[in-house]
Amino acid sequence: MKITIKTVAGRAFDMEVSPNLVVQELRKKIATEHQYEYEGLKLVVNGTVAQDEVTVKDTKMDETKFVVMVAKKQSVRAAQQEQRQKEKEREEKAKEKEKEARNVDAPKGPLNSMQLQGMMQLQGLMETKVRTMKDFVEILRFHGTVTEIRRMIQADQSVLRPILYQINHHAPQLLSLINQYQQEFLQIINEPVPKGSN
């Protein structure tokens, strides 16, 4: 339904609202959309201040009469702060959605979250330390997470492909290095893991 809100200063504006909307939500809607201070905003219907918990329908608001609003206009600073807060909330929601999408899209596989974290750390290490094939071999051979992966693959060769798929999703630059030094990688993977190695 459409209602007309009129301020004590004589300004009037129309709003589309549901008859089942409670007055408290209507006050918030007015404050947000028309930059009025929510605290102290009152709606007067037929000479009576509408109570927060009552619905629009129950206050007897109708399209043929106007509702008187008593409120202060937001200061420019307050309006800017509210706008910044809204933008921040939108950004946080967008980040949350992006994070959820990443989790949904992330391939399931043999590596747990700690091992994937280890692969991402290894990727960073490789980017700064690897200049030659020898650097690659030395870092890979003694990295704790790689040792765990060696054990897994040596126990079951079929996990190699899904592990590489997970690495590609979480640490693509690392997979590029593995592809570049494929022979050395496979050699390390097949080396016996010393007992007690982490």
Side-chain angles (χ1 to χ4, degrees):
M1 65 182 282
K2 185 188 283 186
I3 58 170
T4 301
I5 310 286
K6 193 169 184 181
T7 68
V8 287
R11 178 179 173 239
F13 53 88
D14 294 335
M15 292 190 77
E16 272 304 327
V17 295
S18 162
N20 297 319
L21 187 71
V22 294
V23 169
Q24 184 178 33
E25 291 305 313
L26 176 57
R27 289 173 57 227
K28 285 179 185 173
K29 188 175 168 70
I30 293 168
T32 303
E33 292 180 10
H34 295 276
Q35 286 80 47
Y36 285 96
E37 289 183 12
Y38 172 71
E39 295 302 325
L41 190 153
K42 293 181 176 60
L43 299 175
V44 181
V45 185
N46 299 324
T48 306
V49 174
Q51 299 303 304
D52 275 350
E53 65 279 359
V54 179
T55 64
V56 167
K57 179 175 61 181
D58 292 337
T59 62
K60 303 290 189 285
M61 289 183 197
D62 74 52
E63 297 184 356
T64 61
K65 299 173 186 169
F66 58 82
V67 176
V68 176
M69 179 183 73
V70 180
K72 282 184 185 176
K73 207 53 172 147
Q74 268 187 344
S75 67
V76 172
R77 188 175 177 184
Q80 286 171 341
Q81 284 176 339
E82 189 173 313
Q83 188 62 32
R84 279 196 294 271
Q85 183 63 30
K86 280 185 201 169
E87 284 169 10
K88 190 177 174 185
E89 285 169 10
R90 274 198 297 269
E91 283 170 14
E92 283 170 2
K93 280 181 188 173
K95 282 179 187 172
E96 200 59 41
K97 282 183 182 175
E98 190 182 323
K99 189 177 174 185
E100 283 170 14
R102 273 203 309 269
N103 289 339
V104 168
D105 294 341
K108 301 290 183 277
L111 301 183
N112 62 34
S113 59
M114 288 293 288
Q115 290 165 330
L116 289 170
Q117 189 69 35
M119 288 291 94
M120 288 187 275
Q121 287 169 352
L122 178 59
Q123 174 177 260
L125 189 63
M126 290 285 189
E127 285 172 352
T128 56
K129 302 286 185 186
V130 171
R131 297 288 175 268
T132 65
M133 180 263 289
K134 187 180 176 185
D135 296 336
F136 173 79
V137 169
E138 288 303 306
I139 293 170
L140 210 61
R141 182 172 280 133
F142 299 107
H143 193 276
T145 306
V146 176
T147 303
E148 291 173 29
I149 290 171
R150 284 163 64 190
R151 282 201 188 96
M152 291 167 69
I153 294 170
Q154 287 173 19
D156 179 4
Q157 289 282 327
S158 68
V159 299
L160 176 57
R161 188 181 292 274
I163 284 173
L164 291 175
Y165 187 56
Q166 280 185 288
I167 291 172
N168 183 46
H169 186 83
H170 294 276
Q173 288 87 359
L174 176 59
L175 188 68
S176 295
L177 279 169
I178 289 170
N179 287 332
Q180 187 179 336
Y181 301 115
Q182 195 168 23
Q183 191 177 335
E184 289 76 19
F185 172 74
L186 291 172
Q187 184 183 326
I188 291 167
I189 289 299
N190 290 310
E191 285 176 0
V193 180
K195 287 183 181 177
S197 293
N198 292 325

